[in-house]
Amino acid sequence: MFRPLFTPSDPFVTAALNALPDALDELMPLARAHRADLPDAIRELSALLTSDRGGMNHSYWSAPRFVSAYLRYFLPWNLVRLTRLLPSLDLPSPVSSCSGPEAKAEETDRKVSVVDLGSGPLTLPLALWLSRPDWRSVPLTLLCADTAPRPMELGRRLLEYVAARSGEPLLWRVRLSRAPFGRAMREAGAPRLLMAGNVLNELRDAGGSILAERMAEAAASLERALPEGGAALFVEPGTRFGGTLTASLREAAMEEGLKALAPCPHDEPCPLLGRRSRGWCHASLDAGGPTWLAALSRAAGLPKDSLSLSFMLLGRERPDPRPCAGLSVPAGFPTDRRGGRSGGEKEAASTGRAFSAPLVARILSDAFPVPGMGYARYACAEGGLALVPDAAALPSGALVACRRPDTPRRDSKSGALELRWEANPGRN
């Protein structure tokens, strides 16, 4: 019994990603020579982006070959990641809960509903529009903020092109603001959804401040900006540093009274932050993506088998405190692999060990062989780092209903508490 983090790409998203090259050709046509140079430009920009990002100051947006490389390679791969992630997240409703004259006034004014910080070419707003019809179908104001205006202008035009080609009306009013993170937060008002992609890694060295100080400043600004029922989503690369950034923001936000709605299944301290281990909080998925993008990646010498990300969704209250709410067994999943019982039930039947009431864990790692446990995965759960045996079939990032043995047993290598995932956690 589990809830996957990444959803299959729906037909609307698939069609839009397949048509993206045509929209990009309208936005920024390529001469034959520039198209031939595209794989080399992608490879060079990749090396630049993986170096010291703090020293770049968005300078690559002034070089047309790098702009084209970013829009045709990095932005599409980010859209593949984000359009698989966003549908599964418990985002707030874009529609106001108030009624009567106040609701009509709010609809007329179209108050700011979404703020995108460090917006670049509007990657997160574009992914939200594509993958969340509940947000796509609502008239709202989108405020995008960045220190570089050119990528935002390109992103707004791309959103318009994509919407026109999809046949869906663009109901959003897009405002662009040339502002750094701090000032943008002050201008944000009270958005129902605040988003930021690849922004925390650019805050780390600002003004010589240490990471904890920068995250504390960001968390305090979030607490002031978020209204009741609002949420803030931060997405970073699925690297060790990306996981550290999102976990550090979580720690600072909880000091301000905010809640980590996802990926965290609990309100306890992060079991990986500051821990001397090989693990960090991230999730991976098979790359997939449109065939044109896979072919371009191979031509650039940068083929992708998998994609990863780290993220943090923050709000004021958890929407549903029940430990296993929203979890189910996806159609076709082999929960009946060995006689129809889960790992915990089989263990109890064979050893007589008793298992407690269910709790929820978030899968953190790839599967790896452990003697006597089959292929196990590390997970995050109430009580700290956990180890889930017989977990090869569980997808990365999934929320999983588990049981804790009444007689706790910890992994000798990592100190992780052994749990058992349950095909049916409601059974006694």
Side-chain angles (χ1 to χ4, degrees):
M1 185 167 181
F2 66 91
R3 179 180 176 182
L5 178 62
F6 299 108
T7 62
S9 183
D10 72 17
F12 185 83
V13 173
T14 298
L17 292 178
N18 286 336
L20 192 58
D22 292 336
L24 290 169
D25 284 343
E26 288 188 45
L27 177 66
M28 192 175 186
L30 279 182
R32 180 176 297 180
H34 292 156
R35 195 174 294 276
D37 175 61
L38 186 58
D40 289 338
I42 290 171
R43 193 160 49 249
E44 292 175 33
L45 182 56
S46 177
L48 182 63
L49 290 172
T50 52
S51 63
D52 181 12
R53 289 181 55 90
M56 289 192 309
N57 196 27
H58 294 292
S59 61
Y60 58 92
W61 286 105
S62 62
R65 65 191 295 263
F66 283 161
V67 172
S68 183
Y70 192 93
L71 293 178
R72 286 174 163 84
Y73 176 82
F74 295 94
L75 182 144
W77 277 124
N78 283 331
L79 290 177
V80 172
R81 289 181 179 89
L82 294 169
T83 55
R84 299 280 302 279
L85 170 71
L86 291 173
S88 71
L89 298 184
D90 292 322
L91 302 180
S93 169
V95 181
S96 174
S97 60
C98 64
S99 59
E102 291 182 1
K104 292 185 179 298
E106 180 171 342
E107 184 176 348
T108 301
D109 293 343
R110 299 176 87 190
K111 293 181 179 179
V112 172
S113 295
V114 181
V115 172
D116 187 39
L117 302 175
S119 195
L122 278 63
T123 307
L124 260 170
L126 184 54
L128 182 71
W129 190 88
L130 287 172
S131 64
R132 292 293 299 247
D134 54 335
W135 284 83
R136 184 170 66 236
S137 61
V138 173
L140 56 83
T141 295
L142 165 67
L143 173 62
C144 300
D146 204 321
T147 55
R150 176 163 167 74
M152 291 193 293
E153 292 164 359
L154 290 170
R156 176 166 59 182
R157 290 171 57 196
L158 180 59
L159 176 58
E160 292 168 352
Y161 284 140
V162 169
R165 287 181 168 273
S166 74
E168 290 275 346
L170 180 58
L171 302 178
W172 297 359
R173 181 171 61 194
V174 182
R175 288 173 45 199
L176 307 181
S177 173
R178 186 174 184 177
F181 182 89
R183 194 171 86 219
M185 286 291 293
R186 292 192 292 274
E187 294 177 358
R192 298 187 70 77
L193 179 62
L194 185 147
M195 306 187 296
N198 294 345
V199 168
L200 296 179
N201 61 70
E202 296 181 356
L203 295 179
R204 65 188 190 276
D205 295 325
S209 302
I210 63 174
L211 176 62
E213 292 174 346
R214 296 297 291 163
M215 293 302 105
E217 292 172 4
S221 297
L222 280 176
E223 196 283 326
R224 290 191 294 269
L226 280 184
E228 289 295 329
L233 173 65
F234 290 80
V235 184
E236 292 291 319
T239 60
R240 179 183 295 275
F241 189 59
T244 298
L245 287 168
T246 53
S248 298
L249 178 64
R250 173 190 187 268
E251 183 178 63
M254 293 183 70
E255 288 288 330
E256 295 289 338
L258 299 176
K259 301 286 187 181
L261 309 183
C264 313
H266 59 80
D267 295 325
E268 297 184 7
C270 175
L272 296 178
L273 186 60
R275 178 185 176 89
R276 293 184 178 181
S277 72
R278 297 175 61 189
W280 65 94
C281 188
H282 71 292
S284 302
L285 68 156
D286 292 337
T291 55
W292 69 265
L293 183 55
L296 180 59
S297 302
R298 290 192 297 271
L302 299 169
K304 290 190 181 292
D305 296 322
S306 64
L307 306 171
S308 66
L309 54 80
S310 298
F311 76 99
M312 188 60 57
L313 180 65
L314 300 167
R316 294 194 178 277
E317 294 293 337
R318 289 187 179 275
D320 194 334
R322 291 175 297 164
C324 296
L327 274 66
S328 62
V329 181
F333 185 79
T335 57
D336 199 33
R337 290 166 296 166
R338 300 181 188 175
R341 291 187 293 185
S342 70
E345 291 171 313
K346 289 179 288 183
E347 171 99 355
S350 61
T351 67
R353 296 174 69 201
F355 287 79
S356 63
L359 73 159
V360 174
R362 175 79 72 177
I363 298 296
L364 293 177
S365 74
D366 293 333
F368 55 94
V370 178
M373 296 186 185
Y375 279 82
R377 292 181 187 262
Y378 286 119
C380 179
E382 181 182 339
L385 188 68
L387 184 66
V388 183
D390 297 322
L394 297 176
S396 175
L399 279 177
V400 184
C402 295
R403 291 184 185 272
R404 182 189 294 113
D406 287 345
T407 304
R409 187 167 69 184
R410 292 192 176 272
D411 177 51
S412 59
K413 181 178 180 181
S414 64
L417 177 68
E418 181 188 343
L419 300 178
R420 291 285 167 164
W421 74 275
E422 294 294 304
N424 186 355
R427 294 173 62 178
N428 293 323

